[in-house]
Amino acid sequence: MMRQFYIFVLTLLGFWGLLLGFSVKAEETDQPAFDAPAQHAIAIEVSTGKILYEKDSQALTGVSSITKLLTAYLVYEALEADKIKMDTPVTISNYAYNLTFDTSIPNVPLDARSYTVEQLLNAMLVASSNSATIALAEEIGGTEPKFVDKMLAKLEEWGITDAKLVNATGLPNNLLGGNIYPDSASTDENMMSARTVAIIARRLLQDFPQITDISSQISMTWNGQPVPNWNYLLEGAAFSRTGVNGLITGTSLAYGSSLVASGKENDMSVITVILNADNSDTDSSARFTTSHSLLDYISENYYLVTLLKKGQAYDKSSVAVLNGKSKTLSAVAKSDLNVVQKAGDENTKARFESDKTTYEAPVTKQEKIGKLTFQDEGYLDSPPSVTMVAQTTVERSIFFKVWWNTFVTWVNEEL
């Protein structure tokens, strides 16, 4: 009887052990998904446009000084078109000058009433100076409202139509007195989505990467005095993170504190957008710690890989050749095809599409014959692709073979 009791106890303990084992296993594998402590967030890889993380990223919200990224794009565009130069002197209007006396907003003194484009651009991107931003907008647009029209036109060119802009700075209209955008209200301020901000930042870095020469400065000198950068993720700042090289912060009474950061994680060029960080009304460091946690998540989960190297063929990427000394021709990558992979979920699928069903010889080496596209989802626009070119030259066959092929084709099509 005692022996049976021992067997029963051991069996019961084994049963509970199994249950506990299953419980531990479930607890180990069923990890909660990452949730950035912010109202709106998105992270992308710049070269591919791959979305690495997003949270309510398409809802409109106040973006405050984040607006200045779009203003900066139009400044660099004007520089590229030679409409202005870095040493072009800009006269400071009464509107911009008088705003410098408002101590509630970021600014630098503009007592000289004339500064170069380069000086004002530095003041805008490092010190987030609102008066410097207005001066640049007036120089390029003639007036700030006309510059805002240019901003909206640029967004529409990029396929963005839901943004609401009323000035070049991101300030709430009630601080601008009688200088507000026509038909806008004193309670209005600029509204964009985190996704739109990511698109702007990506365009800026791709088209004008020199912006990081300015935005990476931990401070600047103005009138002989040091002026700190508000982005405390920069190297040497309070919340420094290795690899971060910009871009800009934003603060709004109505919409909290925000930060757009660019930098390197696992050899990827990354942009993170944090809009209205949680608890930013009581914690001035919220946007920086939130950005750190998002960058940690990216670093732990994503990496960049070369799916196809320059000169390599992919699987059966070949085309048929008519009247050539060879009946087929391999297509190879014109350049490297780099893609973002998620750890534990590697994807190597790609699709080759030729420009023609059949190519007529001769076909020359490096001639474009198609495109290879990575089969993946979750991008700002479309998955990465690479141009595929002829691996070798295929010369035209002898006359009689060409004649016979032409005759056979005619018979099949006409008879």
Side-chain angles (χ1 to χ4, degrees), residues 276-295:
N276 195 354
D278 290 353
N279 305 314
S280 59
D281 55 337
T282 58
D283 181 4
S284 61
S285 66
R287 57 186 162 193
F288 305 112
T289 55
T290 297
S291 296
H292 264 290
S293 65
L294 179 51
L295 288 165

Side-chain angles (χ1 to χ4, degrees), residues 233-247:
L233 286 188
L234 294 173
E235 185 177 351
F239 295 89
S240 175
R241 187 178 183 96
T242 302
V244 171
N245 56 16
L247 289 161

Side-chain angles (χ1 to χ4, degrees), residues 42 77 94 155 191 328 369 402:
I42 191 170
E77 193 173 55
N94 289 335
L155 291 180
M191 306 283 287
T328 60
I369 57 177
V402 172

Side-chain angles (χ1 to χ4, degrees), residues 322-336:
L322 182 65
N323 295 328
K325 292 185 176 180
S326 174
K327 292 183 178 180
T328 60
L329 174 64
S330 292
V332 297
K334 186 176 181 180
S335 58
D336 289 352

Side-chain angles (χ1 to χ4, degrees), residues 396-411:
R396 196 167 177 82
S397 190
I398 59 175
F399 170 78
F400 291 108
K401 185 176 181 180
V402 172
W403 176 85
W404 177 252
N405 287 338
T406 304
F407 174 73
V408 171
T409 300
W410 178 80
V411 170

Side-chain angles (χ1 to χ4, degrees), residues 64-136:
S64 55
S65 284
I66 304 300
T67 301
K68 295 180 175 86
L69 293 179
L70 181 55
T71 300
Y73 188 95
L74 294 182
V75 172
Y76 278 111
E77 193 173 55
L79 285 165
E80 185 179 57
D82 282 332
K83 293 179 180 178
I84 56 172
K85 297 183 182 299
M86 280 294 194
D87 60 359
T88 297
V90 178
T91 301
I92 307 302
S93 68
N94 289 335
Y95 164 38
Y97 179 69
N98 291 334
L99 201 63
T100 62
F101 298 104
D102 187 340
T103 57
S104 69
I105 58 176
N107 260 321
V108 293
L110 299 176
D111 296 334
R113 300 298 293 261
S114 180
Y115 298 87
T116 66
V117 167
E118 184 174 18
Q119 288 174 315
L120 294 173
L121 191 57
N122 273 267
M124 178 177 73
L125 292 173
V126 176
S128 197
S129 170
N130 291 286
S131 292
T133 304
I134 291 169
L136 288 168

Side-chain angles (χ1 to χ4, degrees), residues 61-243:
T61 188
V63 292
S64 55
S65 284
I66 304 300
T67 301
K68 295 180 175 86
L69 293 179
L70 181 55
T71 300
Y73 188 95
L74 294 182
V75 172
Y76 278 111
E77 193 173 55
L79 285 165
E80 185 179 57
D82 282 332
K83 293 179 180 178
I84 56 172
K85 297 183 182 299
M86 280 294 194
D87 60 359
T88 297
V90 178
T91 301
I92 307 302
S93 68
N94 289 335
Y95 164 38
Y97 179 69
N98 291 334
L99 201 63
T100 62
F101 298 104
D102 187 340
T103 57
S104 69
I105 58 176
N107 260 321
V108 293
L110 299 176
D111 296 334
R113 300 298 293 261
S114 180
Y115 298 87
T116 66
V117 167
E118 184 174 18
Q119 288 174 315
L120 294 173
L121 191 57
N122 273 267
M124 178 177 73
L125 292 173
V126 176
S128 197
S129 170
N130 291 286
S131 292
T133 304
I134 291 169
L136 288 168
E138 291 177 329
E139 176 68 21
I140 295 170
T143 66
E144 187 180 18
K146 289 181 179 178
F147 184 82
V148 172
D149 290 338
K150 288 179 177 291
M151 296 169 76
L152 290 167
K154 180 57 63 176
L155 291 180
E156 187 173 358
E157 179 185 318
W158 294 337
I160 300 167
T161 57
D162 61 345
K164 298 178 181 179
L165 303 180
V166 291
N167 56 58
T169 60
L171 289 171
N173 264 355
N174 65 339
L175 295 179
L176 304 182
N179 300 289
I180 65 175
Y181 190 75
D183 300 323
S184 65
S186 61
T187 54
D188 288 345
E189 61 181 285
N190 293 345
M191 306 283 287
M192 288 190 278
S193 68
R195 189 183 184 97
T196 290
V197 171
I199 292 171
I200 294 169
R202 183 186 182 213
R203 290 275 186 171
L204 193 49
L205 288 175
Q206 288 187 315
D207 296 346
F208 307 110
Q210 63 268 36
I211 188 176
T212 59
D213 294 339
I214 298 176
S215 67
S216 62
Q217 299 176 90
I218 193 171
S219 66
M220 60 173 286
T221 301
W222 190 268
N223 290 347
Q225 298 297 319
V227 180
N229 193 319
W230 294 91
N231 183 358
Y232 296 156
L233 286 188
L234 294 173
E235 185 177 351
F239 295 89
S240 175
R241 187 178 183 96
T242 302

